Amino acid sequence: MPDDETTQSLRDLVRTARLRLADSAADLGTLLRLLGEHDQAERLLRQALEIYEADCRTHVDQSRTTEELS
């Protein structure tokens, strides 16, 4: 089993990858909207928003846990 430092490093990498995915989905959704592909654009923009919201919830939950342990 990985140590705490390795686990945290992997979590940071996963978070970064998810945020990059959300950024890409938002960018592509914006471009598709400009091209008139509104259905595809909306789907991608909603997915990006879901990823951003999930990250905010997770990040806030981790912050609370850290504060509670201190």
Side-chain angles (χ1 to χ4, degrees):
M1 180 159 236
D3 62 13
D4 289 341
E5 187 175 317
T6 302
T7 300
Q8 185 58 46
S9 179
L10 290 172
R11 284 186 179 138
D12 291 342
L13 288 172
V14 168
R15 181 176 187 228
T16 299
R18 283 183 176 144
L19 292 174
R20 285 183 184 163
L21 176 62
D23 289 344
S24 295
D27 290 344
L28 182 55
T30 299
L31 291 171
L32 288 170
R33 183 184 57 80
L34 293 171
L35 292 172
E37 300 289 335
H38 299 287
D39 290 339
Q40 289 181 357
E42 182 179 357
R43 253 190 321 272
L44 284 166
L45 292 168
R46 287 183 186 276
Q47 287 175 348
L49 184 59
E50 287 175 11
I51 294 169
Y52 291 133
E53 288 175 340
D55 180 70
C56 288
R57 282 190 306 271
T58 301
H59 190 66
V60 168
D61 290 345
Q62 287 176 352
S63 296
R64 285 185 186 157
T65 302
T66 303
E67 289 172 5
E68 290 169 1
L69 293 175
S70 298

